[in-house]
Amino acid sequence: MDINELRSVMTVVSLLTFLGIVWWAYGMKGNKKRFDEAANLPFADEGADRTELGMSRNEQRKTS
């Protein structure tokens, strides 16, 4: 096996890996709900953070 055959094999493996990731992310219907929940995780505790800081809903945090 020379270097060109190894490069060809790695190209095919990389393409199959990429297609597998694309299928996992976009092809599976059950992942949409999980991805939507994960996308909202940074905002999940916003209400608790405001309560802890004694802020109302309309107040914004002051950054220094």
Side-chain angles (χ1 to χ4, degrees):
M1 179 180 265
D2 66 342
I3 191 71
N4 290 327
E5 290 176 358
L6 182 61
R7 288 177 180 163
S8 298
V9 169
M10 287 306 300
T11 300
V12 171
V13 169
S14 298
L15 177 66
L16 291 175
T17 301
F18 174 75
L19 292 175
I21 291 171
V22 168
W23 174 76
W24 172 74
Y26 294 107
M28 297 177 66
K29 300 294 182 196
N31 280 343
K32 179 161 177 44
K33 182 179 177 186
R34 285 185 30 227
F35 289 156
D36 287 342
E37 288 175 5
N40 288 322
L41 279 177
F43 308 111
D45 290 334
E46 189 171 313
D49 291 343
R50 289 179 189 271
T51 303
E52 185 176 311
L53 294 174
M55 298 171 63
S56 68
R57 283 195 105 142
N58 295 330
E59 290 181 64
Q60 293 184 356
R61 295 181 189 162
K62 294 180 181 177
T63 57
S64 303

